[in-house]
Amino acid sequence: MQEELEKALAVEYAKKYCIEHGLSIEKLQMQRFALSANECCFAQPSGVKPKGLTNDKETMPKVTLIIKFVDGQLQIEETEYTVQFLKGE
């Protein structure tokens, strides 16, 4: 329950950014969500099936959007995968 609430708050915070940058809020909501000490991120799950450690890197989710807490403020950062997986239609 707590993780769902944290994700909902992060999505709500990112909505304005997504609209301004042509990113899909619907696609963002479907992604995985992870929270650590001073940041959280959204990531596109990989469609690659694991084969032990032989393809471990290919099975990792691709981080698409990061929200960081820096100097008392929240900041949103894109990654090399943002446009590929979140571009609005």
Side-chain angles (χ1 to χ4, degrees):
M1 174 73 177
Q2 181 177 343
E3 185 175 322
E4 289 299 317
L5 178 58
E6 290 165 345
K7 181 178 181 178
L9 290 171
V11 168
E12 189 62 34
Y13 179 76
K15 276 185 181 179
K16 181 180 175 187
Y17 182 90
C18 288
I19 292 167
E20 290 174 354
H21 293 87
L23 305 175
S24 170
I25 297 164
E26 292 78 20
K27 290 179 183 178
L28 184 72
Q29 291 173 322
M30 299 303 293
Q31 294 195 329
R32 289 185 178 180
F33 177 76
L35 175 67
S36 65
N38 289 329
E39 65 184 40
C40 62
C41 71
F42 293 90
Q44 178 71 28
S46 169
V48 177
K49 299 235 186 241
K51 297 177 186 172
L53 296 176
T54 60
N55 68 341
D56 190 46
K57 187 174 181 180
E58 291 83 17
T59 64
M60 299 297 290
K62 309 284 192 269
V63 175
T64 57
L65 206 64
I66 302 167
I67 302 174
K68 291 184 177 185
F69 188 70
V70 179
D71 297 328
Q73 295 186 352
L74 292 173
Q75 298 176 355
I76 296 179
E77 293 182 8
E78 294 187 14
T79 71
E80 65 267 29
Y81 302 109
T82 302
V83 172
Q84 179 182 355
F85 293 109
L86 296 181
K87 189 68 177 168
E89 296 170 6

